Amino acid sequence: MSGAEHLSELCTPRGTAAHVSLFLPTVRRGPQTAQNGIRWRNLLARAEVALRATAAPAEATATLDALRQVSEDEGFWRNDGSGLAVFAAPGWSRVLHTPSTLPELAAVGNRFLISPLLPSLSSAGRFLFLALDRAQSRLFLGTRFGLEEAGVHIPTGPGHASEDRRRPAERPEGFVADRGGSGRSVVFYGRGNLDRKQVEETLQYFRAIDAVLAELPNGERPPMLLAGLGYLVSQYRQVTRYREIVEDVLVTDPSQLPIEELHRRAWLQIEPQLRGDESAAAARYRQLAGTGRTAHEPGAVLAAARVGRVESLFLSSSIMATPPDSVLLLGAGARSQFDQFDRLDQFDRLDQAAAACLAHGGAVYLVAPERMPIRDECAAALLRY
């Protein structure tokens, strides 16, 4: 399931029953991984107290049963992410491992809490990273926090892992090739010591990869960064129909670098592209301020988001700061461990606004306070009309 599909699912309340949202930062490896289970049990205990105090006994028991059942699953502590998010309602649960670190937080109420997931799952700030190799290319989903496998099957290629790495880089040669069967001839660059048969095998392999990309869910077309030896990148560009490929290329042999280094280099290349949409939306907000096409008061932002008027929504990361050991109670008349009820009400409204904005095809940017398009505000909405 894609990030957009996860958010869509979580933005839709599952009836009026009690909803529980649990967020936990996790340790990937080393002796400290034992702390994951301890912190999970403590978080679950706090949620149980809040749940039994606010929900009908049968609902509370059914939701807690769903939480305990999912935590006993074999893959629950899969250590390939820095955050764990668990959502449950009577008879239903969902577990997500996120590349970004999450706050330690529990929320109980008439809906799920989604804003902690925005850095990992919203389309803003996400990109595809295609590491090209004649033997086995890999497709990753990236954010500023890291790279993770995209969860689609990339076929095996015609080459062997050692075939390309033994060869020193050589001067590319140009010849004419057809662009993906389009009938248009373009200049194709390949290596002088690759014969035409090898080139055709590689092109066929890259067409198969492109067919996988064509099957991505509707709306899941983030920008894609290519990485690979120069001649492979040139070959892939000849056949691809994925139009969201960025111009910059990471020219390297991806198989020779650890995932952390690949991510560091990829983020340096892709960040300006990803920030482009954010910067353009912020500039439009400032241009339209005072014309009726912007809003920043949480109640007004939520009202506009519910009817699909919000084109872009900026939320300050400062709103995400929560007290230690807090349990948020969402919904009318709810109380929490926040010192001020007004702050909880603001947090609740803006989380709902983010869900509504995404449900209507808008973009949500969770940014540092200094990147907000309006100073000293925790929200800024650019309206469609």
Side-chain angles (χ1 to χ4, degrees):
M1 186 178 288
S2 68
E5 289 172 324
H6 279 307
L7 284 172
S8 177
E9 179 183 49
L10 296 171
C11 288
T12 305
R14 306 189 71 82
T16 58
H19 293 58
V20 175
S21 310
L22 302 178
F23 304 93
L24 191 71
T26 57
V27 180
R28 294 192 184 199
R29 55 184 68 90
Q32 294 300 314
T33 55
Q35 294 297 315
N36 292 338
I38 296 171
R39 297 173 76 176
W40 165 255
R41 289 190 290 274
N42 291 339
L43 186 65
L44 186 58
R46 296 201 301 270
E48 179 174 3
V49 171
L51 188 60
R52 293 199 182 281
T54 58
E59 283 187 7
T61 298
T63 302
L64 288 167
D65 286 345
L67 284 169
R68 293 192 178 101
Q69 182 178 357
V70 77
S71 65
E72 293 171 359
D73 185 85
E74 185 177 322
F76 186 71
W77 290 117
R78 191 184 73 196
N79 287 328
D80 61 353
S82 296
L84 174 68
V86 183
F87 303 89
W92 184 91
S93 61
R94 181 71 71 233
V95 178
L96 300 176
H97 297 265
T98 67
S100 58
T101 300
L102 297 173
E104 186 169 332
L105 178 65
V108 176
N110 57 3
R111 64 183 182 83
F112 294 123
L113 189 70
I114 69 156
S115 47
L117 293 177
L118 290 175
S120 294
L121 297 186
S122 71
S123 58
R126 296 166 68 237
F127 65 98
L128 290 177
F129 180 73
L130 180 57
L132 293 166
D133 187 276
R134 267 180 53 85
Q136 180 63 72
S137 297
R138 294 178 295 167
L139 182 67
F140 297 94
L141 182 63
T143 68
R144 69 184 178 93
F145 303 101
L147 297 173
E148 61 177 356
E149 296 286 348
V152 297
H153 175 66
I154 299 296
T156 301
H160 297 289
S162 61
E163 176 184 283
D164 295 322
R165 294 168 199 154
R166 286 198 305 259
R167 264 189 207 102
E170 298 180 18
R171 183 182 180 87
E173 294 181 354
F175 60 89
V176 175
D178 178 68
R179 191 186 191 283
S182 65
R184 289 192 296 117
S185 293
V186 297
V187 176
F188 172 87
Y189 292 96
R191 278 187 171 178
N193 58 351
L194 283 181
D195 61 30
R196 189 61 179 251
K197 181 176 183 293
Q198 288 176 308
V199 168
E200 290 301 329
E201 288 175 345
T202 304
L203 292 176
Q204 184 175 357
Y205 174 46
F206 286 168
R207 290 189 186 98
I209 293 175
D210 212 52
V212 173
L213 294 175
E215 296 300 319
L216 292 175
N218 290 335
E220 287 292 292
R221 307 287 290 185
M224 183 165 70
L225 177 68
L226 299 179
L229 298 175
Y231 78 105
L232 292 177
V233 171
S234 296
Q235 288 173 338
Y236 184 76
R237 284 190 182 277
Q238 305 307 309
V239 300
T240 183
R241 297 179 184 275
Y242 194 89
R243 298 187 179 279
E244 290 78 14
I245 295 177
V246 301
E247 288 299 318
D248 289 338
V249 175
L250 188 58
V251 181
T252 186
D253 183 347
S255 65
Q256 299 299 297
L257 297 175
I259 191 71
E260 294 80 9
E261 179 61 15
L262 277 178
H263 172 258
R264 186 189 71 81
R265 296 189 187 188
W267 185 247
L268 286 174
Q269 296 280 78
I270 198 72
E271 183 183 18
Q273 170 87 10
L274 297 179
R275 286 278 177 84
D277 290 343
E278 176 193 318
S279 299
R284 266 178 63 77
Y285 182 96
R286 297 185 185 100
Q287 180 183 15
L288 294 173
T291 67
R293 292 280 304 279
T294 62
H296 65 269
E297 192 278 320
V301 170
L302 176 56
R306 281 175 167 166
V307 296
R309 290 181 62 203
V310 177
E311 176 183 302
S312 300
L313 174 61
F314 289 83
L315 298 179
S316 171
S317 58
S318 63
I319 195 64
M320 297 297 300
T322 55
D325 302 328
S326 60
V327 178
L328 306 182
L329 302 183
L330 306 176
R335 299 180 183 277
S336 78
Q337 295 177 25
F338 271 117
D339 293 334
Q340 298 179 355
F341 177 78
D342 285 349
R343 186 172 167 217
L344 169 64
D345 183 59
Q346 184 181 69
F347 183 95
D348 193 355
R349 289 182 184 216
L350 294 179
D351 188 81
Q352 292 183 68
C357 178
L358 292 168
H360 287 91
V364 180
Y365 303 97
L366 186 65
V367 302
E370 60 271 18
R371 296 216 318 269
M372 289 291 291
I374 179 173
R375 292 177 59 87
D376 302 323
E377 296 291 346
C378 58
L382 176 62
L383 307 182
R384 292 186 170 107
Y385 56 90

